[in-house]
C-alpha cells in the first residue's frame, strides 16, 4: 500500500475528528477507535475527504480495554499491511468536577485508565507490531535518518496547570508527559519517534459546559492569542509531527494553547 497509515483513538468527534480529517487530507489512510457504534455522518465526511472508502476504517472499542488494542491493530494491518502513525487522542474529563477533598476513587480510576493506562499500553502494542513488521535492525550501523513510525500523545495544558476541581484529569495528563519521555527514549533505537501535543482551551463538547468561564478567561487576557482554539488548530500541529519532517527530534512538546504556557508578569 502506498498510503501511510495513521491510527487515531477517539476520532469520531472533537479534536480527534479534526486530526483524522487533516491526516486524510494529507494522504494518510486512517483508522479510528471509539466507544460508540459507527458514526455514519462523521465517517461519510471522512470518506468523502479521502475520495476512497477503503482509506477510512472504524473499530468500536475502548482504549482502556487492552483486549481491544489487538483487534484495533489487527484490523489496520489486515486491511493495509502497515502502521506508520499512532495518535493517542482518546481522553475524558471527570463526569463531575469536584474539589480535591470530595473527589472519588471511582472517578480517579476511570480518568486514569482512559487517559493514561490505556494509551500507555496501546503505545506498547503499537511499537511491538511496528518492530515486527519492520524486521530486525541489528545489522544497521546507526538508526535510520527517517522515522520508521511516529507516536503522538495528546496531553494538555493541564499537565502543568492546576485545576482544583479536576485533579484526576491533571494527574492523568502529567502522566502522559512522563509516558512520552519514557517511550521516546526507549523507542528511539527502534526508529520510532514520540511526541506530545498540549492543547489549551479548545472548543469541543468537553469544554462546552464551561463556556462562560473561559470566555471570561480570554476577555481578561488569559492567553496572548485571545480566542478559543479549534480542533483544526490541534490537527495542524499533529500534521507537522506526522509528516516525517522532524526526524531528528523526539520527546518534544508542542503547545497549542494560544501562548497560555508563557509565564507573564
Amino acid at each position: 500500500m502506498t498510503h501511510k497509515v495513521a491510527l487515531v483513538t477517539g476520532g469520531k468527534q472533537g479534536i480527534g475528528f479534526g486530526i483524522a480529517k487533516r491526516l486524510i487530507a494529507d494522504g494518510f489512510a486512517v483508522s479510528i477507535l471509539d466507544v460508540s457504534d459507527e458514526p455514519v455522518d462523521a465517517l461519510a465526511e471522512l470518506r468523502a475527504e479521502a475520495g476512497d472508502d477503503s482509506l477510512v476504517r472504524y473499530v468500536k472499542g475502548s482504549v482502556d480495554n487492552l483486549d481491544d488494542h489487538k483487534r484495533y491493530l489487527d484490523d489496520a494491518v489486515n486491511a493495509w499491511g502497515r502502521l506508520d502513525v499512532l495518535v493517542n487522542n482518546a481522553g475524558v474529563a471527570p463526569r463531575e468536577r469536584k474539589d480535591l477533598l470530595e473527589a472519588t476513587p471511582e472517578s480517579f480510576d476511570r480518568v486514569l485508565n482512559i487517559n493514561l493506562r490505556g494509551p500507555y499500553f496501546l503505545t506498547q502494542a503499537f511499537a511491538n507490531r511496528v518492530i515486527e513488521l519492520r524486521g530486525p535492525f541489528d545489522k544497521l550501523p546507526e538508526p535510520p535518518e527517517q522515522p520508521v513510525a511516529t507516536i503522538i500523545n495528546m496531553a494538555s495544558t493541564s499537565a502543568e496547570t492546576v485545576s482544583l476541581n479536576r485533579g484526576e484529569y491533571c494527574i492523568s495528563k502529567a502522566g502522559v508527559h512522563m509516558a512520552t519521555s519514557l517511550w521516546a527514549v526507549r523507542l528511539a533505537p527502534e526508529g520510532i519517534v514520540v511526541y506530545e501535543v498540549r492543547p489549551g482551551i479548545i472548543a469541543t463538547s468537553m469544554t462546552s459546559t464551561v463556556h462562560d468561564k473561559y470566555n471570561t478567561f480570554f476577555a481578561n487576557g488569559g492567553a496572548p492569542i485571545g480566542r478559543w482554539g479549534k480542533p483544526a488548530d490541534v490537527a495542524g500541529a499533529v500534521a507537522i509531527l506526522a509528516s516525517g519532517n522532524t526526524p531528528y527530534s523526539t520527546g518534544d512538546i508542542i503547545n497549542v494553547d494560544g501562548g497560555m504556557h508563557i509565564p507573564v508578569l
Side-chain angles (χ1 to χ4, degrees):
M1 177 178 183
T2 56
H3 291 268
K4 289 187 175 182
V5 170
L7 309 184
V8 182
T9 66
K12 75 178 179 110
Q13 63 183 359
I15 290 174
F17 181 79
I19 291 168
K21 188 173 182 180
R22 174 59 188 266
L23 292 178
I24 288 168
D26 287 353
F28 284 83
V30 172
S31 178
I32 291 169
L33 178 74
D34 216 308
V35 295
S36 66
D37 293 333
E38 288 200 13
V40 176
D41 292 343
L43 291 177
E45 184 174 343
L46 295 178
R47 286 169 177 150
E49 180 71 42
D52 182 347
D53 288 2
S54 70
L55 297 179
V56 180
R57 298 188 66 80
Y58 186 89
V59 175
K60 182 180 179 180
S62 179
V63 72
D64 69 337
N65 185 338
L66 303 193
D67 292 336
D68 289 343
H69 295 178
K70 184 176 186 305
R71 285 197 306 109
Y72 186 37
L73 295 173
D74 285 347
D75 183 80
V77 172
N78 291 339
W80 298 315
R82 61 187 293 169
L83 297 170
D84 298 281
V85 173
L86 169 64
V87 183
N88 281 312
N89 167 76
V92 295
R95 290 192 173 104
E96 293 182 81
R97 293 186 176 216
K98 290 190 174 184
D99 183 84
L100 296 183
L101 295 176
E102 300 172 349
T104 65
E106 292 78 14
S107 179
F108 187 95
D109 290 346
R110 170 180 171 267
V111 171
L112 269 289
N113 282 341
I114 294 171
N115 291 5
L116 181 57
R117 179 178 180 271
Y120 184 90
F121 285 104
L122 180 55
T123 294
Q124 181 191 70
F126 176 87
N128 279 321
R129 186 63 68 88
V130 167
I131 292 166
E132 176 187 326
L133 292 168
R134 180 209 70 196
F137 257 10
D138 55 1
K139 294 183 180 180
L140 290 181
E142 58 185 23
E145 292 189 4
Q146 288 296 316
V148 173
T150 300
I151 297 167
I152 302 166
N153 291 328
M154 202 59 53
S156 168
T157 188
S158 295
E160 293 186 351
T161 303
V162 168
S163 294
L164 293 178
N165 61 359
R166 52 176 190 153
E168 58 268 63
Y169 183 80
C170 297
I171 289 171
S172 74
K173 294 304 184 178
V176 167
H177 171 61
M178 177 51 73
T180 299
S181 298
L182 286 164
W183 284 117
V185 173
R186 176 60 186 88
L187 296 178
E190 306 292 347
I192 301 171
V193 292
V194 186
Y195 303 109
E196 177 181 340
V197 173
R198 286 189 181 177
I201 301 169
I202 310 298
T204 68
S205 59
M206 186 182 291
T207 55
S208 62
T209 59
V210 286
H211 205 262
D212 291 343
K213 172 185 175 179
Y214 289 131
N215 280 341
T216 301
F217 174 84
F218 287 121
N220 291 335
I225 301 176
R227 66 166 174 86
W228 284 78
K230 301 175 183 178
D233 295 320
V234 183
V238 170
I240 292 169
L241 299 173
S243 69
N245 289 327
T246 55
Y248 197 52
S249 299
T250 194
D252 298 281
I253 302 166
I254 293 188
N255 293 286
V256 187
D257 63 359
M260 281 176 57
H261 67 281
I262 303 170
V264 178
L265 289 174

